Amino acid sequence: MPAVVGTLRLHEWAIDRDTAFMAIDFSLSPELEAIRTKTRDFIQTVVKPIEDAMDESDRKQLIDGIIKMRTEAQRQGLWLPHMPEEWGGMGLGHVELAMVQAEAAKARFGPFAINAQAPDEGNMHTLLHWATEDQKQKYLKPLCEGTARSCFAMTEPEVAGSDPTLIRTNAYQDGDEWVINGHKWFISQARSSKFAILLCRTEEQPEIKQAANSAFIIDLPTDGWNDVREIETMHGGTGHSEIVITDLRVHDSQMLGGRGQGHLLGQYRLGPARLAHCMRWISQAELALDMMVDRSLNRYSHGSLLAEKQGIQWMIADSAIELYQAKLMVLHAAYKIDRKEDFKSEVSMTKHFVANALNRIIDRSIQVHGALGYSTDTPLAHMFQHARWARFADGADEIHMMRTAERTIAAYKDSGSTQAATGGLPI
Ligand SMILES: Cc1cc2nc3c(=O)[nH]c(=O)nc-3n(C[C@H](O)[C@H](O)[C@H](O)COP(=O)(O)OP(=O)(O)OC[C@H]3O[C@@H](n4cnc5c(N)ncnc54)[C@H](O)[C@@H]3O)c2cc1C
């Protein structure tokens, strides 16, 4: 498979001199259309049937089911869409990835089946960019092969996770080792991980507060890493651990990136990882809208179908408009990442918008379903509970709003126009 199989041709801004007509081509290359269709078929014919047949509470059934999906995904070349070919991946750019992720997320285990699930996906990007060759062989390789899982340990209960410069988990140097003490929580899949990327404070008086932290790769399990509980959340106990770290010793060679670069590494990780979440959320929003329309076409009340009532049509229209915006924003942010342009602003606005649109669309779908939507007979209740975290994790709504306002004001001060802060688009 070629390294880059095709992309939305957003870059082909062609000006026809005679008509002054500006064309933007949103069509997919045949190669990319083939990958999208293949992913869709794989989800429908392999993942969904296994998912529907298995009892997730039975660990053996769960593991067997995932192995079956993954074996077939590898056989079909639908494996690691986000990784370069030399690491066994499909070598897709972010625009292309958006198609594959959105298709994969139509099933709960879809991203898992193609080995593109959080937080491993973000950790793979991080290791690819920051790890030494030895670290890549030891940690990235098994992740890519699907024989290991990993976690990312940043958030702490005592300080605002939104501001990682406040991290208190502390590491001090003792010869060629570091000694770590601290407290983390909401560390997803910690119990099934072979290693953690752990952020700690290593610098007491950094020149700037963003240079206080460093990252370490911690082999798990290990002395001093105490997984005290899995936190029960509003959508059940889903593998987010609270960790008490006591005199954990780690060799200096386990540092990931340079000393004081932990904050930078976290920010680097979050850009593409935030967008990957948005790609998956689009699928969930689309499913909720499909269900909303289907229900409205089948439910009859006060003399007509729900679909014929203006109040319901407005909910459908609002949702369709928001989903359209969400897709365009994701594609444009992905396009900026692919072109190595500064994407911070676009990813931030996109994450904020898609997270909120997702919550609103699922909520409307529940409304149209009435009691059925509130029940667990449809996936909507589970989707609603799951979607709520999107508005504060990976950057809370308010932080993205704050940064967006800062960038907009700065753009105006710099150039007398806010244009650069609204995607820099040529309109
Ligand atoms: C399902 C799930 C999985 C997670 N997985 C992981 C994981 O694997 N690893 C990990 O390290 N963490 C993980 N987290 C934690 C997540 O990263 C944090 O919840 C997030 O960073 C927010 O931090 P916090 O919860 O401490 O909230 P806080 O930082 O305390 O913020 C709470 C609220 O305060 C407001 N706020 C904060 N700062 C500002 C500001 N500057 N201006 C205005 N308002 C503000 C916002 O409304 C925000 O929602 C996970 C969380 C969830 C729910």
Side-chain angles (χ1 to χ4, degrees):
M1 191 179 291
V4 176
V5 292
T7 181
L8 279 181
R9 297 177 206 117
L10 290 175
H11 56 289
E12 289 177 7
W13 298 95
I15 298 180
D16 179 324
R17 301 264 168 227
D18 295 333
T19 58
F21 171 74
M22 181 173 270
I24 304 172
D25 184 353
F26 277 91
S27 63
L28 299 183
S29 68
E31 294 91 338
L32 181 52
E33 184 55 49
I35 291 181
R36 187 164 75 133
T37 312
K38 195 169 166 183
T39 312
R40 182 173 294 180
D41 288 349
F42 170 72
I43 295 299
Q44 290 305 327
T45 59
V46 178
V47 179
K48 283 223 166 126
I50 298 175
E51 209 175 81
D52 291 346
M54 82 186 170
D55 171 6
E56 279 178 45
S57 60
D58 180 333
R59 198 166 161 69
K60 182 166 176 345
Q61 271 196 43
L62 183 68
I63 291 172
D64 286 351
I66 289 174
I67 289 174
K68 259 194 221 159
M69 293 174 198
R70 287 187 154 200
T71 307
E72 185 55 20
Q74 281 175 302
R75 198 189 67 74
Q76 294 194 21
L78 291 171
W79 187 249
L80 295 172
H82 55 291
M83 290 299 281
E85 285 179 87
E86 60 265 35
W87 286 95
M90 295 166 71
L92 302 182
H94 286 82
V95 169
E96 298 158 332
L97 192 56
M99 314 294 157
V100 173
Q101 285 278 26
E103 291 297 337
K106 288 193 171 138
R108 229 156 76 69
F109 285 93
F112 240 105
I114 60 173
N115 199 8
Q117 67 287 339
D120 295 312
E121 185 206 28
N123 287 349
M124 288 186 224
H125 279 302
T126 307
L127 290 167
L128 186 66
H129 186 79
W130 294 85
T132 62
E133 271 319 305
D134 285 350
Q135 289 171 338
K136 282 183 190 169
Q137 286 306 318
K138 187 167 175 197
Y139 298 104
L140 179 57
K141 194 161 176 277
L143 273 190
C144 292
E145 290 168 347
T147 53
R149 299 210 63 199
S150 62
C151 59
F152 188 79
M154 180 177 71
T155 307
E156 303 181 356
E158 292 82 5
V159 292
S162 304
D163 183 356
T165 66
L166 302 174
I167 281 176
R168 286 191 194 161
T169 293
N170 172 274
Y172 68 86
Q173 206 162 8
D174 182 22
D176 57 5
E177 287 186 331
W178 290 82
V179 184
I180 307 176
N181 285 280
H183 191 189
K184 299 283 178 184
W185 81 336
F186 267 93
I187 309 310
S188 305
Q189 76 176 25
R191 287 196 182 173
S192 51
S193 290
K194 284 241 171 83
F195 67 91
I197 297 175
L198 173 66
L199 288 199
C200 320
R201 189 176 180 91
T202 51
E203 314 305 312
E204 276 323 309
Q205 288 183 325
E207 269 183 33
I208 51 166
K209 61 184 182 170
Q210 288 82 3
N213 302 330
S214 304
F216 293 91
I217 307 178
I218 311 292
D219 288 302
L220 297 178
T222 191
D223 288 347
W225 174 276
N226 307 299
D227 193 322
V228 293
R229 66 169 173 144
E230 279 196 335
I231 300 154
E232 183 81 13
T233 70
M234 63 191 277
H235 62 100
T238 46
H240 311 295
S241 287
E242 178 174 350
I243 316 284
V244 174
I245 302 169
T246 313
D247 290 335
L248 189 158
R249 285 185 168 266
V250 61
H251 193 268
D252 193 39
S253 60
Q254 294 296 100
M255 189 177 275
L256 179 62
R259 211 173 144 157
Q261 288 192 321
H263 187 86
L264 205 61
L265 177 145
Q267 293 305 307
Y268 175 87
R269 181 183 184 281
L270 272 177
R274 275 179 184 142
L275 200 63
H277 277 312
C278 294
M279 295 168 188
R280 295 185 282 260
W281 294 338
I282 279 177
S283 268
Q284 294 290 294
E286 195 161 79
L287 176 61
L289 178 55
D290 286 351
M291 292 177 69
M292 190 191 312
V293 174
D294 190 66
R295 181 70 175 171
S296 71
L297 287 168
N298 289 294
R299 195 67 162 173
Y300 187 88
S301 167
H302 292 96
S304 64
L305 288 170
L306 295 185
E308 291 159 23
K309 298 182 189 299
Q310 193 179 46
I312 302 296
Q313 288 171 354
W314 284 0
M315 283 196 263
I316 292 170
D318 278 338
S319 303
I321 293 165
E322 286 176 6
L323 192 49
Y324 177 47
Q325 285 173 273
K327 289 178 180 183
L328 286 178
M329 290 177 89
V330 165
L331 288 175
H332 185 241
Y335 160 84
K336 291 204 84 161
I337 299 180
D338 281 345
R339 286 176 49 106
K340 305 202 179 338
E341 290 177 16
D342 185 358
F343 57 80
K344 279 199 293 292
S345 211
E346 288 71 21
V347 169
S348 174
M349 290 190 285
T350 303
K351 192 271 170 181
H352 177 273
F353 182 79
V354 182
N356 281 273
L358 172 72
N359 276 274
R360 286 192 294 266
I361 294 171
I362 298 173
D363 183 51
R364 289 184 200 119
S365 192
I366 291 174
Q367 187 69 16
V368 172
H369 280 76
L372 176 62
Y374 194 70
S375 78
T376 54
D377 288 358
T378 81
L380 288 169
H382 177 81
M383 285 161 62
F384 196 43
Q385 286 169 318
H386 200 71
R388 187 59 186 86
W389 74 275
R391 290 191 47 219
F392 62 84
D394 280 3
D397 280 356
E398 294 76 9
I399 313 247
H400 289 296
M401 297 285 275
M402 177 175 79
R403 296 282 178 240
T404 301
E406 282 169 4
R407 290 186 189 114
T408 310
I409 293 165
Y412 186 79
K413 282 185 177 168
D414 281 355
S415 65
S417 164
T418 56
Q419 201 243 4
T422 55
L425 292 162
I427 52 172

